[in-house]
Amino acid sequence: MSINLVEELRWRGMVHDIMPGTEEQLLKESTTGYIGFDPTSDALHIGSLVPIILLVHMERAGHRPIALVGGATGMIGDPSGKSDERNLLNEEQLAHNVAGIRNTLARFLNFEASEKNAPILVNNYDWMKNFSFIDFAREVGKRISVNYMMAKDSVKKRLTGEAGSGMSFTEFTYQLIQGYDFYHLHKTHNCMLQMGGSDQWGNITTGTELVRRMNPGVEAKAYAMTCPLITKADGSKFGKSEGGNIWLDAEKTSVYKFYQFWLNTTDEDAEKYIKIFTFLDKETIDALIVAHAEAPHMRLLQKKLAEEVTTFVHSKTELDKAIAASNILFGKSTAADLKELDEQTFLDVFEGVPQAEVAKEDIHNGLDMIGALAAKTNFLKSNGDARRALKENAISVNKEKVKEDYLITEKDLIANKYVLLQRGKKSYFLLKTQE
């Protein structure tokens, strides 16, 4: 192969554990590899960006990626890195989640492509649904000893009480089912590699062992590679903001908020993340790191990181909208710029800004500025304060300066319900209409 996938991932800081022979196999020929995604939700958050990017790197290097959605394993729950048993999902919720994850993955990997190494999408429920317990116990259970399974960290920690209070038989069997996935994909797609986060090493190596033991007398090749779990420099959990998870779905996390998450990373994190979450080459990234060090206040790393990841996840068009929304607080934006924002983005931009409700009828009749600033809203302390601020030319409606005789009407409404008031450069207030 012309591109050394392991070397590419190594300089990016994306290799944690790798089984001997893996790099040689990937250099020798186009190889099929897979990563599993558990449907614990109907969408993926940015923690899942790393496995998605690994699969994209595989395809770009000429290998064939398989994305596995765990319709079967999702019914059990992976104990890796967990201190307590997960609540089991019902079939209806699981089917909904699987469909949502399929849709997300299809944005990054073209499962309809016709190239020899075109990505494949599979659901392990398809081959597990007709597997009886007796058949599974005979065909799979007898191949791996309990001693081998108990030696895995994810099991040991739960059984010794280091994490949580023991482990059910259901969760104990998880590594066997995941291992069987590898065997099935090895048999049906000649899949030789499984990748995942470093917390998956135990489950993945059980899979390589199962491939070998279920192919007696044959030199069955099966390899494993994991990526470090992403952390923040301050030790806090990656992928969360004050409002919770950062999702890859714009309906759950607006593109503006998504863009801001990357823009607000620390220098130390940005230097690490730009290697992991973008496809920029080493030369470009090294030059960016040098330029950033010379002028940290310009935040070159953060800006490039935010641009690249937002374009990859959402599109260049959505990136441009997010940048335009970001400039509203700091740039010379107009009422027209404000009115181009959808309601969610508008609320995200002005999150935390104090607001007051005014009757739609007041707007319909024309709301005078004294009423808007003081009498009906208490944005300013008194009518006298309002008059002084207006005389000083310090008041703006939707980013445009107004005088005392200005009337706020329906033409000023953003998303048909908001008006943005501003005193000076930084003091904002939202009027929200009510029926």
Side-chain angles (χ1 to χ4, degrees), residues 11 45 57-58 74 77 96 158 195 207 215 229 257 322 341 355 400-401 405:
W11 78 258
H45 51 75
H57 274 300
M58 267 203 89
H96 171 76
R158 290 280 286 273
M195 299 185 291
N215 286 289
L229 295 179
K257 269 198 166 173
L341 299 180
Q355 55 180 267
E400 293 181 356
K401 298 281 187 186
D405 60 356

Side-chain angles (χ1 to χ4, degrees), residues 72-73 75-79 85 128 133 136-137 140-141 144 146 149 154-155 167-181 203 206 210:
T73 35
M75 288 183 166
I76 292 172
D78 182 4
E85 186 117 358
M128 293 303 299
F133 176 74
F136 188 81
V140 183
I144 302 286
V146 169
M149 293 169 73
S154 58
V155 175
M167 178 185 242
S168 69
F169 173 76
T170 305
E171 279 195 326
F172 185 60
T173 59
Y174 184 95
Q175 63 174 290
L176 283 184
I177 296 175
Q178 184 172 326
Y180 185 79
D181 287 344
N203 291 336
T206 298
L210 206 53

Side-chain angles (χ1 to χ4, degrees), residues 368-371 373-375 380-395 402-404 423:
D368 67 275
M369 289 311 300
I370 303 301
L373 292 169
L380 302 185
K381 287 178 184 171
S382 67
N383 292 356
D385 268 2
R387 285 195 180 90
R388 274 191 298 278
L390 286 158
K391 279 196 176 84
E392 291 164 2
N393 201 29
I395 300 297
V402 296
K403 301 289 186 187
E404 190 173 338
R423 181 181 189 173

Side-chain angles (χ1 to χ4, degrees), residues 260-315:
Q260 287 292 322
F261 171 83
W262 300 99
L263 200 59
N264 291 325
T265 52
T266 64
D267 288 355
E268 195 176 342
D269 285 334
E271 189 172 322
K272 180 166 110 177
Y273 296 166
I274 201 156
K275 295 172 186 173
I276 296 169
F277 293 102
T278 80
F279 295 92
L280 297 171
D281 60 42
K282 191 172 189 303
E283 199 178 324
T284 303
I285 288 176
D286 288 346
L288 261 171
I289 290 169
V290 170
H292 179 90
E294 288 169 358
H297 64 283
M298 298 288 289
R299 297 179 68 76
L300 296 175
L301 274 177
Q302 285 89 340
K303 285 176 185 172
K304 192 62 176 170
L305 172 67
E307 285 172 16
E308 291 289 319
V309 184
T310 305
T311 300
F312 177 65
V313 173
H314 293 292
S315 79

Side-chain angles (χ1 to χ4, degrees), residues 325-333 338 346 349-356 373 379-380 396-400 419-431:
S326 301
N327 289 339
I328 279 167
L329 283 178
F330 312 108
K332 292 182 177 177
S333 50
L338 283 171
F346 176 78
V349 171
F350 296 101
E351 189 176 20
V353 168
Q355 55 180 267
L373 292 169
F379 174 24
L380 302 185
S396 299
V397 171
N398 295 341
K399 289 282 188 175
E400 293 181 356
V419 178
L420 180 69
L421 301 179
Q422 188 177 353
R423 181 181 189 173
K425 285 188 175 178
K426 294 184 178 175
S427 184
Y428 291 101
F429 194 88
L430 278 186
L431 295 187

